[in-house]
Amino acid sequence: DQQVKQNSPSLSVQEGRISILNCDYTNSMFDYFLWYKKYPAEGPTFLISISSIKDKNEDGRFTVFLNKSAKHLSLHIVPSQPGDSAVYFCAAVTQGGSEKLVFGKGTKLTVNP
Amino acid sequence: GAVVSQHPSWVICKSGTSVKIECRSLDFQATTMFWYRQFPKQSLMLMATSNEGSKATYEQGVEKDKFLINHASLTLSTLTVTSAHPEDSSFYICSAKSGGSFNQPQHFGDGTRLSIL
């Protein structure tokens, strides 16, 4: 049972435009969410996170939005740059639990010059 | 900061061999380390969680006698795949986090590609 779902395996956008990566979850106990970015042959790199007490967190070009009622979060990258091309993983965890991160399958973002 | 080094990055060996993978936190003390496994086009799946000086906690379905985890110091954890077989071929990746703060993100190594012939 996939508790964290990234339904788009790939996304292609033009440089300078907005990239929107989506993530849905089923476990209502999740209350902290993270986005990781992964280049080929490298490990995932932490990008941005959001707690369930917030609905938005922004860091430079990256903004994560959380809709708890819909169990949905999204990562917005604006403006998109070619260097943003990578696989983006959404992960979720329950505070006070085992710190076990549950990952989605990832979305491969390609930003075209 | 927060660099995690994983070694080796690629291993090819014969069936029946035991393989050890090291995970080191280079610039911070990792109170907790995690071992994941990833099959092609699948998500990272947690295998086990280890805290320094104590036994690892394995996820359901992961054989503890097959995947030996040792977290002997605050900067080193090892995963040994014992008597590896072709079905153990996969991408193994470790992560580490410092302190007890919940909001500390996990920092990942670059992974180990294990191929069993």
Side-chain angles (χ1 to χ4, degrees), chain B residues 24-47:
Chain B
R24 294 180 184 272
S25 57
L26 297 186
D27 52 1
F28 68 100
Q29 293 188 324
T31 53
T32 308
M33 286 185 167
F34 306 84
W35 287 95
Y36 294 83
R37 183 173 180 174
Q38 185 181 23
F39 291 106
K41 297 184 180 180
Q42 299 297 313
S43 58
L44 290 164
M45 297 297 296
L46 181 66
M47 297 174 66

mmCIF file with all atom_site columns, all heavy atoms in Angstrom, chain B residues 24-47:
data_model
loop_
_atom_site.group_PDB
_atom_site.id
_atom_site.type_symbol
_atom_site.label_atom_id
_atom_site.label_alt_id
_atom_site.label_comp_id
_atom_site.label_asym_id
_atom_site.label_entity_id
_atom_site.label_seq_id
_atom_site.pdbx_PDB_ins_code
_atom_site.Cartn_x
_atom_site.Cartn_y
_atom_site.Cartn_z
_atom_site.occupancy
_atom_site.B_iso_or_equiv
_atom_site.pdbx_formal_charge
_atom_site.auth_seq_id
_atom_site.auth_comp_id
_atom_site.auth_asym_id
_atom_site.auth_atom_id
_atom_site.pdbx_PDB_model_num
ATOM 1   N N   . ARG B 1 24 ? 29.234 6.849  6.812   1.00 0.00 ? 24 ARG B N   1
ATOM 2   C CA  . ARG B 1 24 ? 29.895 7.729  7.767   1.00 0.00 ? 24 ARG B CA  1
ATOM 3   C C   . ARG B 1 24 ? 29.325 9.139  7.705   1.00 0.00 ? 24 ARG B C   1
ATOM 4   O O   . ARG B 1 24 ? 29.120 9.685  6.614   1.00 0.00 ? 24 ARG B O   1
ATOM 5   C CB  . ARG B 1 24 ? 31.397 7.811  7.483   1.00 0.00 ? 24 ARG B CB  1
ATOM 6   C CG  . ARG B 1 24 ? 32.165 6.529  7.691   1.00 0.00 ? 24 ARG B CG  1
ATOM 7   C CD  . ARG B 1 24 ? 33.656 6.711  7.387   1.00 0.00 ? 24 ARG B CD  1
ATOM 8   N NE  . ARG B 1 24 ? 34.372 5.436  7.500   1.00 0.00 ? 24 ARG B NE  1
ATOM 9   C CZ  . ARG B 1 24 ? 34.891 4.970  8.617   1.00 0.00 ? 24 ARG B CZ  1
ATOM 10  N NH1 . ARG B 1 24 ? 34.790 5.669  9.723   1.00 0.00 ? 24 ARG B NH1 1
ATOM 11  N NH2 . ARG B 1 24 ? 35.518 3.815  8.637   1.00 0.00 ? 24 ARG B NH2 1
ATOM 12  N N   . SER B 1 25 ? 29.095 9.707  8.867   1.00 0.00 ? 25 SER B N   1
ATOM 13  C CA  . SER B 1 25 ? 28.767 11.128 8.923   1.00 0.00 ? 25 SER B CA  1
ATOM 14  C C   . SER B 1 25 ? 30.088 11.865 9.128   1.00 0.00 ? 25 SER B C   1
ATOM 15  O O   . SER B 1 25 ? 30.804 11.604 10.078  1.00 0.00 ? 25 SER B O   1
ATOM 16  C CB  . SER B 1 25 ? 27.789 11.416 10.065  1.00 0.00 ? 25 SER B CB  1
ATOM 17  O OG  . SER B 1 25 ? 28.314 10.987 11.301  1.00 0.00 ? 25 SER B OG  1
ATOM 18  N N   . LEU B 1 26 ? 30.423 12.753 8.199   1.00 0.00 ? 26 LEU B N   1
ATOM 19  C CA  . LEU B 1 26 ? 31.769 13.336 8.190   1.00 0.00 ? 26 LEU B CA  1
ATOM 20  C C   . LEU B 1 26 ? 31.905 14.572 9.070   1.00 0.00 ? 26 LEU B C   1
ATOM 21  O O   . LEU B 1 26 ? 32.979 14.847 9.577   1.00 0.00 ? 26 LEU B O   1
ATOM 22  C CB  . LEU B 1 26 ? 32.163 13.678 6.754   1.00 0.00 ? 26 LEU B CB  1
ATOM 23  C CG  . LEU B 1 26 ? 32.260 12.502 5.778   1.00 0.00 ? 26 LEU B CG  1
ATOM 24  C CD1 . LEU B 1 26 ? 32.795 12.974 4.440   1.00 0.00 ? 26 LEU B CD1 1
ATOM 25  C CD2 . LEU B 1 26 ? 33.117 11.380 6.351   1.00 0.00 ? 26 LEU B CD2 1
ATOM 26  N N   . ASP B 1 27 ? 30.853 15.325 9.224   1.00 0.00 ? 27 ASP B N   1
ATOM 27  C CA  . ASP B 1 27 ? 30.982 16.593 9.949   1.00 0.00 ? 27 ASP B CA  1
ATOM 28  C C   . ASP B 1 27 ? 29.919 16.793 11.009  1.00 0.00 ? 27 ASP B C   1
ATOM 29  O O   . ASP B 1 27 ? 29.688 17.916 11.473  1.00 0.00 ? 27 ASP B O   1
ATOM 30  C CB  . ASP B 1 27 ? 30.973 17.761 8.959   1.00 0.00 ? 27 ASP B CB  1
ATOM 31  C CG  . ASP B 1 27 ? 29.778 17.706 8.022   1.00 0.00 ? 27 ASP B CG  1
ATOM 32  O OD1 . ASP B 1 27 ? 28.957 16.772 8.155   1.00 0.00 ? 27 ASP B OD1 1
ATOM 33  O OD2 . ASP B 1 27 ? 29.662 18.592 7.166   1.00 0.00 ? 27 ASP B OD2 1
ATOM 34  N N   . PHE B 1 28 ? 29.296 15.700 11.409  1.00 0.00 ? 28 PHE B N   1
ATOM 35  C CA  . PHE B 1 28 ? 28.345 15.788 12.504  1.00 0.00 ? 28 PHE B CA  1
ATOM 36  C C   . PHE B 1 28 ? 28.228 14.419 13.158  1.00 0.00 ? 28 PHE B C   1
ATOM 37  O O   . PHE B 1 28 ? 28.609 13.399 12.574  1.00 0.00 ? 28 PHE B O   1
ATOM 38  C CB  . PHE B 1 28 ? 26.976 16.295 12.033  1.00 0.00 ? 28 PHE B CB  1
ATOM 39  C CG  . PHE B 1 28 ? 26.225 15.338 11.125  1.00 0.00 ? 28 PHE B CG  1
ATOM 40  C CD1 . PHE B 1 28 ? 25.213 14.537 11.635  1.00 0.00 ? 28 PHE B CD1 1
ATOM 41  C CD2 . PHE B 1 28 ? 26.532 15.250 9.784   1.00 0.00 ? 28 PHE B CD2 1
ATOM 42  C CE1 . PHE B 1 28 ? 24.522 13.666 10.801  1.00 0.00 ? 28 PHE B CE1 1
ATOM 43  C CE2 . PHE B 1 28 ? 25.850 14.396 8.947   1.00 0.00 ? 28 PHE B CE2 1
ATOM 44  C CZ  . PHE B 1 28 ? 24.839 13.594 9.464   1.00 0.00 ? 28 PHE B CZ  1
ATOM 45  N N   . GLN B 1 29 ? 27.719 14.408 14.366  1.00 0.00 ? 29 GLN B N   1
ATOM 46  C CA  . GLN B 1 29 ? 27.519 13.148 15.064  1.00 0.00 ? 29 GLN B CA  1
ATOM 47  C C   . GLN B 1 29 ? 26.107 12.648 14.808  1.00 0.00 ? 29 GLN B C   1
ATOM 48  O O   . GLN B 1 29 ? 25.131 13.361 15.055  1.00 0.00 ? 29 GLN B O   1
ATOM 49  C CB  . GLN B 1 29 ? 27.773 13.321 16.559  1.00 0.00 ? 29 GLN B CB  1
ATOM 50  C CG  . GLN B 1 29 ? 29.246 13.628 16.864  1.00 0.00 ? 29 GLN B CG  1
ATOM 51  C CD  . GLN B 1 29 ? 29.519 13.612 18.357  1.00 0.00 ? 29 GLN B CD  1
ATOM 52  O OE1 . GLN B 1 29 ? 28.691 14.028 19.154  1.00 0.00 ? 29 GLN B OE1 1
ATOM 53  N NE2 . GLN B 1 29 ? 30.686 13.122 18.735  1.00 0.00 ? 29 GLN B NE2 1
ATOM 54  N N   . ALA B 1 30 ? 26.038 11.448 14.300  1.00 0.00 ? 30 ALA B N   1
ATOM 55  C CA  . ALA B 1 30 ? 24.749 10.880 13.905  1.00 0.00 ? 30 ALA B CA  1
ATOM 56  C C   . ALA B 1 30 ? 24.221 9.974  15.014  1.00 0.00 ? 30 ALA B C   1
ATOM 57  O O   . ALA B 1 30 ? 24.707 8.868  15.200  1.00 0.00 ? 30 ALA B O   1
ATOM 58  C CB  . ALA B 1 30 ? 24.890 10.099 12.601  1.00 0.00 ? 30 ALA B CB  1
ATOM 59  N N   . THR B 1 31 ? 23.267 10.460 15.728  1.00 0.00 ? 31 THR B N   1
ATOM 60  C CA  . THR B 1 31 ? 22.678 9.621  16.774  1.00 0.00 ? 31 THR B CA  1
ATOM 61  C C   . THR B 1 31 ? 21.825 8.518  16.174  1.00 0.00 ? 31 THR B C   1
ATOM 62  O O   . THR B 1 31 ? 21.673 7.451  16.763  1.00 0.00 ? 31 THR B O   1
ATOM 63  C CB  . THR B 1 31 ? 21.813 10.466 17.715  1.00 0.00 ? 31 THR B CB  1
ATOM 64  O OG1 . THR B 1 31 ? 20.871 11.215 16.932  1.00 0.00 ? 31 THR B OG1 1
ATOM 65  C CG2 . THR B 1 31 ? 22.674 11.437 18.507  1.00 0.00 ? 31 THR B CG2 1
ATOM 66  N N   . THR B 1 32 ? 21.283 8.792  15.012  1.00 0.00 ? 32 THR B N   1
ATOM 67  C CA  . THR B 1 32 ? 20.446 7.798  14.343  1.00 0.00 ? 32 THR B CA  1
ATOM 68  C C   . THR B 1 32 ? 20.849 7.688  12.887  1.00 0.00 ? 32 THR B C   1
ATOM 69  O O   . THR B 1 32 ? 21.061 8.696  12.211  1.00 0.00 ? 32 THR B O   1
ATOM 70  C CB  . THR B 1 32 ? 18.952 8.185  14.407  1.00 0.00 ? 32 THR B CB  1
ATOM 71  O OG1 . THR B 1 32 ? 18.594 8.468  15.753  1.00 0.00 ? 32 THR B OG1 1
ATOM 72  C CG2 . THR B 1 32 ? 18.073 7.050  13.900  1.00 0.00 ? 32 THR B CG2 1
ATOM 73  N N   . MET B 1 33 ? 20.965 6.450  12.436  1.00 0.00 ? 33 MET B N   1
ATOM 74  C CA  . MET B 1 33 ? 21.236 6.188  11.016  1.00 0.00 ? 33 MET B CA  1
ATOM 75  C C   . MET B 1 33 ? 20.174 5.246  10.474  1.00 0.00 ? 33 MET B C   1
ATOM 76  O O   . MET B 1 33 ? 19.626 4.414  11.208  1.00 0.00 ? 33 MET B O   1
ATOM 77  C CB  . MET B 1 33 ? 22.631 5.598  10.817  1.00 0.00 ? 33 MET B CB  1
ATOM 78  C CG  . MET B 1 33 ? 23.742 6.625  11.000  1.00 0.00 ? 33 MET B CG  1
ATOM 79  S SD  . MET B 1 33 ? 25.358 5.939  10.607  1.00 0.00 ? 33 MET B SD  1
ATOM 80  C CE  . MET B 1 33 ? 26.366 7.412  10.530  1.00 0.00 ? 33 MET B CE  1
ATOM 81  N N   . PHE B 1 34 ? 19.900 5.408  9.200   1.00 0.00 ? 34 PHE B N   1
ATOM 82  C CA  . PHE B 1 34 ? 18.852 4.643  8.549   1.00 0.00 ? 34 PHE B CA  1
ATOM 83  C C   . PHE B 1 34 ? 19.425 3.953  7.307   1.00 0.00 ? 34 PHE B C   1
ATOM 84  O O   . PHE B 1 34 ? 20.266 4.512  6.616   1.00 0.00 ? 34 PHE B O   1
ATOM 85  C CB  . PHE B 1 34 ? 17.701 5.566  8.117   1.00 0.00 ? 34 PHE B CB  1
ATOM 86  C CG  . PHE B 1 34 ? 17.130 6.407  9.220   1.00 0.00 ? 34 PHE B CG  1
ATOM 87  C CD1 . PHE B 1 34 ? 17.728 7.612  9.573   1.00 0.00 ? 34 PHE B CD1 1
ATOM 88  C CD2 . PHE B 1 34 ? 15.988 6.006  9.895   1.00 0.00 ? 34 PHE B CD2 1
ATOM 89  C CE1 . PHE B 1 34 ? 17.206 8.404  10.583  1.00 0.00 ? 34 PHE B CE1 1
ATOM 90  C CE2 . PHE B 1 34 ? 15.451 6.796  10.901  1.00 0.00 ? 34 PHE B CE2 1
ATOM 91  C CZ  . PHE B 1 34 ? 16.064 7.990  11.256  1.00 0.00 ? 34 PHE B CZ  1
ATOM 92  N N   . TRP B 1 35 ? 18.929 2.773  7.047   1.00 0.00 ? 35 TRP B N   1
ATOM 93  C CA  . TRP B 1 35 ? 19.326 2.046  5.837   1.00 0.00 ? 35 TRP B CA  1
ATOM 94  C C   . TRP B 1 35 ? 18.096 1.808  4.973   1.00 0.00 ? 35 TRP B C   1
ATOM 95  O O   . TRP B 1 35 ? 17.075 1.305  5.439   1.00 0.00 ? 35 TRP B O   1
ATOM 96  C CB  . TRP B 1 35 ? 19.998 0.721  6.180   1.00 0.00 ? 35 TRP B CB  1
ATOM 97  C CG  . TRP B 1 35 ? 21.376 0.907  6.734   1.00 0.00 ? 35 TRP B CG  1
ATOM 98  C CD1 . TRP B 1 35 ? 21.736 0.969  8.042   1.00 0.00 ? 35 TRP B CD1 1
ATOM 99  C CD2 . TRP B 1 35 ? 22.578 1.081  5.980   1.00 0.00 ? 35 TRP B CD2 1
ATOM 100 N NE1 . TRP B 1 35 ? 23.084 1.184  8.161   1.00 0.00 ? 35 TRP B NE1 1
ATOM 101 C CE2 . TRP B 1 35 ? 23.633 1.237  6.918   1.00 0.00 ? 35 TRP B CE2 1
ATOM 102 C CE3 . TRP B 1 35 ? 22.880 1.117  4.614   1.00 0.00 ? 35 TRP B CE3 1
ATOM 103 C CZ2 . TRP B 1 35 ? 24.962 1.435  6.519   1.00 0.00 ? 35 TRP B CZ2 1
ATOM 104 C CZ3 . TRP B 1 35 ? 24.189 1.303  4.230   1.00 0.00 ? 35 TRP B CZ3 1
ATOM 105 C CH2 . TRP B 1 35 ? 25.224 1.458  5.174   1.00 0.00 ? 35 TRP B CH2 1
ATOM 106 N N   . TYR B 1 36 ? 18.230 2.203  3.694   1.00 0.00 ? 36 TYR B N   1
ATOM 107 C CA  . TYR B 1 36 ? 17.146 2.066  2.745   1.00 0.00 ? 36 TYR B CA  1
ATOM 108 C C   . TYR B 1 36 ? 17.588 1.165  1.579   1.00 0.00 ? 36 TYR B C   1
ATOM 109 O O   . TYR B 1 36 ? 18.779 0.991  1.307   1.00 0.00 ? 36 TYR B O   1
ATOM 110 C CB  . TYR B 1 36 ? 16.757 3.436  2.156   1.00 0.00 ? 36 TYR B CB  1
ATOM 111 C CG  . TYR B 1 36 ? 16.160 4.419  3.128   1.00 0.00 ? 36 TYR B CG  1
ATOM 112 C CD1 . TYR B 1 36 ? 16.971 5.199  3.943   1.00 0.00 ? 36 TYR B CD1 1
ATOM 113 C CD2 . TYR B 1 36 ? 14.782 4.587  3.206   1.00 0.00 ? 36 TYR B CD2 1
ATOM 114 C CE1 . TYR B 1 36 ? 16.417 6.121  4.822   1.00 0.00 ? 36 TYR B CE1 1
ATOM 115 C CE2 . TYR B 1 36 ? 14.218 5.506  4.077   1.00 0.00 ? 36 TYR B CE2 1
ATOM 116 C CZ  . TYR B 1 36 ? 15.042 6.265  4.877   1.00 0.00 ? 36 TYR B CZ  1
ATOM 117 O OH  . TYR B 1 36 ? 14.494 7.181  5.742   1.00 0.00 ? 36 TYR B OH  1
ATOM 118 N N   . ARG B 1 37 ? 16.569 0.692  0.884   1.00 0.00 ? 37 ARG B N   1
ATOM 119 C CA  . ARG B 1 37 ? 16.808 -0.090 -0.306  1.00 0.00 ? 37 ARG B CA  1
ATOM 120 C C   . ARG B 1 37 ? 15.884 0.458  -1.396  1.00 0.00 ? 37 ARG B C   1
ATOM 121 O O   . ARG B 1 37 ? 14.735 0.834  -1.113  1.00 0.00 ? 37 ARG B O   1
ATOM 122 C CB  . ARG B 1 37 ? 16.471 -1.547 -0.025  1.00 0.00 ? 37 ARG B CB  1
ATOM 123 C CG  . ARG B 1 37 ? 16.735 -2.521 -1.133  1.00 0.00 ? 37 ARG B CG  1
ATOM 124 C CD  . ARG B 1 37 ? 16.494 -3.935 -0.614  1.00 0.00 ? 37 ARG B CD  1
ATOM 125 N NE  . ARG B 1 37 ? 16.746 -4.916 -1.664  1.00 0.00 ? 37 ARG B NE  1
ATOM 126 C CZ  . ARG B 1 37 ? 16.725 -6.223 -1.474  1.00 0.00 ? 37 ARG B CZ  1
ATOM 127 N NH1 . ARG B 1 37 ? 16.444 -6.710 -0.269  1.00 0.00 ? 37 ARG B NH1 1
ATOM 128 N NH2 . ARG B 1 37 ? 16.964 -7.050 -2.461  1.00 0.00 ? 37 ARG B NH2 1
ATOM 129 N N   . GLN B 1 38 ? 16.388 0.528  -2.615  1.00 0.00 ? 38 GLN B N   1
ATOM 130 C CA  . GLN B 1 38 ? 15.561 1.050  -3.695  1.00 0.00 ? 38 GLN B CA  1
ATOM 131 C C   . GLN B 1 38 ? 15.670 0.158  -4.914  1.00 0.00 ? 38 GLN B C   1
ATOM 132 O O   . GLN B 1 38 ? 16.768 -0.060 -5.444  1.00 0.00 ? 38 GLN B O   1
ATOM 133 C CB  . GLN B 1 38 ? 15.965 2.479  -4.070  1.00 0.00 ? 38 GLN B CB  1
ATOM 134 C CG  . GLN B 1 38 ? 15.056 3.108  -5.105  1.00 0.00 ? 38 GLN B CG  1
ATOM 135 C CD  . GLN B 1 38 ? 15.477 4.505  -5.490  1.00 0.00 ? 38 GLN B CD  1
ATOM 136 O OE1 . GLN B 1 38 ? 16.628 4.879  -5.334  1.00 0.00 ? 38 GLN B OE1 1
ATOM 137 N NE2 . GLN B 1 38 ? 14.542 5.290  -5.993  1.00 0.00 ? 38 GLN B NE2 1
ATOM 138 N N   . PHE B 1 39 ? 14.536 -0.346 -5.369  1.00 0.00 ? 39 PHE B N   1
ATOM 139 C CA  . PHE B 1 39 ? 14.470 -1.081 -6.621  1.00 0.00 ? 39 PHE B CA  1
ATOM 140 C C   . PHE B 1 39 ? 14.151 -0.085 -7.736  1.00 0.00 ? 39 PHE B C   1
ATOM 141 O O   . PHE B 1 39 ? 13.605 0.992  -7.481  1.00 0.00 ? 39 PHE B O   1
ATOM 142 C CB  . PHE B 1 39 ? 13.413 -2.184 -6.551  1.00 0.00 ? 39 PHE B CB  1
ATOM 143 C CG  . PHE B 1 39 ? 13.794 -3.305 -5.621  1.00 0.00 ? 39 PHE B CG  1
ATOM 144 C CD1 . PHE B 1 39 ? 13.174 -3.443 -4.388  1.00 0.00 ? 39 PHE B CD1 1
ATOM 145 C CD2 . PHE B 1 39 ? 14.781 -4.212 -5.971  1.00 0.00 ? 39 PHE B CD2 1
ATOM 146 C CE1 . PHE B 1 39 ? 13.521 -4.472 -3.524  1.00 0.00 ? 39 PHE B CE1 1
ATOM 147 C CE2 . PHE B 1 39 ? 15.133 -5.237 -5.113  1.00 0.00 ? 39 PHE B CE2 1
ATOM 148 C CZ  . PHE B 1 39 ? 14.506 -5.360 -3.887  1.00 0.00 ? 39 PHE B CZ  1
ATOM 149 N N   . PRO B 1 40 ? 14.500 -0.440 -8.983  1.00 0.00 ? 40 PRO B N   1
ATOM 150 C CA  . PRO B 1 40 ? 14.267 0.487  -10.102 1.00 0.00 ? 40 PRO B CA  1
ATOM 151 C C   . PRO B 1 40 ? 12.830 0.985  -10.160 1.00 0.00 ? 40 PRO B C   1
ATOM 152 O O   . PRO B 1 40 ? 11.886 0.208  -10.019 1.00 0.00 ? 40 PRO B O   1
ATOM 153 C CB  . PRO B 1 40 ? 14.623 -0.367 -11.329 1.00 0.00 ? 40 PRO B CB  1
ATOM 154 C CG  . PRO B 1 40 ? 15.611 -1.360 -10.817 1.00 0.00 ? 40 PRO B CG  1
ATOM 155 C CD  . PRO B 1 40 ? 15.162 -1.675 -9.417  1.00 0.00 ? 40 PRO B CD  1
ATOM 156 N N   . LYS B 1 41 ? 12.690 2.267  -10.336 1.00 0.00 ? 41 LYS B N   1
ATOM 157 C CA  . LYS B 1 41 ? 11.398 2.931  -10.482 1.00 0.00 ? 41 LYS B CA  1
ATOM 158 C C   . LYS B 1 41 ? 10.505 2.766  -9.254  1.00 0.00 ? 41 LYS B C   1
ATOM 159 O O   . LYS B 1 41 ? 9.290  2.915  -9.332  1.00 0.00 ? 41 LYS B O   1
ATOM 160 C CB  . LYS B 1 41 ? 10.667 2.436  -11.734 1.00 0.00 ? 41 LYS B CB  1
ATOM 161 C CG  . LYS B 1 41 ? 11.419 2.755  -13.020 1.00 0.00 ? 41 LYS B CG  1
ATOM 162 C CD  . LYS B 1 41 ? 10.635 2.352  -14.236 1.00 0.00 ? 41 LYS B CD  1
ATOM 163 C CE  . LYS B 1 41 ? 11.413 2.696  -15.512 1.00 0.00 ? 41 LYS B CE  1
ATOM 164 N NZ  . LYS B 1 41 ? 10.692 2.318  -16.734 1.00 0.00 ? 41 LYS B NZ  1
ATOM 165 N N   . GLN B 1 42 ? 11.115 2.450  -8.121  1.00 0.00 ? 42 GLN B N   1
ATOM 166 C CA  . GLN B 1 42 ? 10.360 2.333  -6.881  1.00 0.00 ? 42 GLN B CA  1
ATOM 167 C C   . GLN B 1 42 ? 10.857 3.375  -5.878  1.00 0.00 ? 42 GLN B C   1
ATOM 168 O O   . GLN B 1 42 ? 11.885 4.010  -6.082  1.00 0.00 ? 42 GLN B O   1
ATOM 169 C CB  . GLN B 1 42 ? 10.509 0.929  -6.289  1.00 0.00 ? 42 GLN B CB  1
ATOM 170 C CG  . GLN B 1 42 ? 9.988  -0.178 -7.178  1.00 0.00 ? 42 GLN B CG  1
ATOM 171 C CD  . GLN B 1 42 ? 8.501  -0.058 -7.410  1.00 0.00 ? 42 GLN B CD  1
ATOM 172 O OE1 . GLN B 1 42 ? 7.732  0.143  -6.478  1.00 0.00 ? 42 GLN B OE1 1
ATOM 173 N NE2 . GLN B 1 42 ? 8.082  -0.183 -8.676  1.00 0.00 ? 42 GLN B NE2 1
ATOM 174 N N   . SER B 1 43 ? 10.108 3.537  -4.827  1.00 0.00 ? 43 SER B N   1
ATOM 175 C CA  . SER B 1 43 ? 10.521 4.506  -3.807  1.00 0.00 ? 43 SER B CA  1
ATOM 176 C C   . SER B 1 43 ? 11.570 3.886  -2.892  1.00 0.00 ? 43 SER B C   1
ATOM 177 O O   . SER B 1 43 ? 11.778 2.682  -2.876  1.00 0.00 ? 43 SER B O   1
ATOM 178 C CB  . SER B 1 43 ? 9.316  4.950  -2.997  1.00 0.00 ? 43 SER B CB  1
ATOM 179 O OG  . SER B 1 43 ? 8.682  3.845  -2.396  1.00 0.00 ? 43 SER B OG  1
ATOM 180 N N   . LEU B 1 44 ? 12.228 4.756  -2.155  1.00 0.00 ? 44 LEU B N   1
ATOM 181 C CA  . LEU B 1 44 ? 13.155 4.287  -1.133  1.00 0.00 ? 44 LEU B CA  1
ATOM 182 C C   . LEU B 1 44 ? 12.352 3.576  -0.054  1.00 0.00 ? 44 LEU B C   1
ATOM 183 O O   . LEU B 1 44 ? 11.382 4.116  0.471   1.00 0.00 ? 44 LEU B O   1
ATOM 184 C CB  . LEU B 1 44 ? 13.895 5.468  -0.510  1.00 0.00 ? 44 LEU B CB  1
ATOM 185 C CG  . LEU B 1 44 ? 14.911 6.193  -1.397  1.00 0.00 ? 44 LEU B CG  1
ATOM 186 C CD1 . LEU B 1 44 ? 15.263 7.537  -0.793  1.00 0.00 ? 44 LEU B CD1 1
ATOM 187 C CD2 . LEU B 1 44 ? 16.154 5.357  -1.563  1.00 0.00 ? 44 LEU B CD2 1
ATOM 188 N N   . MET B 1 45 ? 12.789 2.370  0.290   1.00 0.00 ? 45 MET B N   1
ATOM 189 C CA  . MET B 1 45 ? 12.095 1.601  1.326   1.00 0.00 ? 45 MET B CA  1
ATOM 190 C C   . MET B 1 45 ? 13.014 1.438  2.525   1.00 0.00 ? 45 MET B C   1
ATOM 191 O O   . MET B 1 45 ? 14.124 0.921  2.403   1.00 0.00 ? 45 MET B O   1
ATOM 192 C CB  . MET B 1 45 ? 11.686 0.234  0.785   1.00 0.00 ? 45 MET B CB  1
ATOM 193 C CG  . MET B 1 45 ? 10.701 0.294  -0.359  1.00 0.00 ? 45 MET B CG  1
ATOM 194 S SD  . MET B 1 45 ? 9.113  1.028  0.111   1.00 0.00 ? 45 MET B SD  1
ATOM 195 C CE  . MET B 1 45 ? 8.530  -0.182 1.304   1.00 0.00 ? 45 MET B CE  1
ATOM 196 N N   . LEU B 1 46 ? 12.545 1.860  3.682   1.00 0.00 ? 46 LEU B N   1
ATOM 197 C CA  . LEU B 1 46 ? 13.345 1.751  4.881   1.00 0.00 ? 46 LEU B CA  1
ATOM 198 C C   . LEU B 1 46 ? 13.526 0.290  5.263   1.00 0.00 ? 46 LEU B C   1
ATOM 199 O O   . LEU B 1 46 ? 12.563 -0.472 5.316   1.00 0.00 ? 46 LEU B O   1
ATOM 200 C CB  . LEU B 1 46 ? 12.683 2.505  6.029   1.00 0.00 ? 46 LEU B CB  1
ATOM 201 C CG  . LEU B 1 46 ? 13.432 2.489  7.363   1.00 0.00 ? 46 LEU B CG  1
ATOM 202 C CD1 . LEU B 1 46 ? 14.745 3.248  7.239   1.00 0.00 ? 46 LEU B CD1 1
ATOM 203 C CD2 . LEU B 1 46 ? 12.573 3.101  8.470   1.00 0.00 ? 46 LEU B CD2 1
ATOM 204 N N   . MET B 1 47 ? 14.791 -0.093 5.518   1.00 0.00 ? 47 MET B N   1
ATOM 205 C CA  . MET B 1 47 ? 15.076 -1.463 5.951   1.00 0.00 ? 47 MET B CA  1
ATOM 206 C C   . MET B 1 47 ? 15.189 -1.517 7.476   1.00 0.00 ? 47 MET B C   1
ATOM 207 O O   . MET B 1 47 ? 14.661 -2.414 8.115   1.00 0.00 ? 47 MET B O   1
ATOM 208 C CB  . MET B 1 47 ? 16.389 -1.947 5.338   1.00 0.00 ? 47 MET B CB  1
ATOM 209 C CG  . MET B 1 47 ? 16.397 -2.024 3.824   1.00 0.00 ? 47 MET B CG  1
ATOM 210 S SD  . MET B 1 47 ? 18.020 -2.433 3.200   1.00 0.00 ? 47 MET B SD  1
ATOM 211 C CE  . MET B 1 47 ? 18.222 -4.096 3.813   1.00 0.00 ? 47 MET B CE  1
#
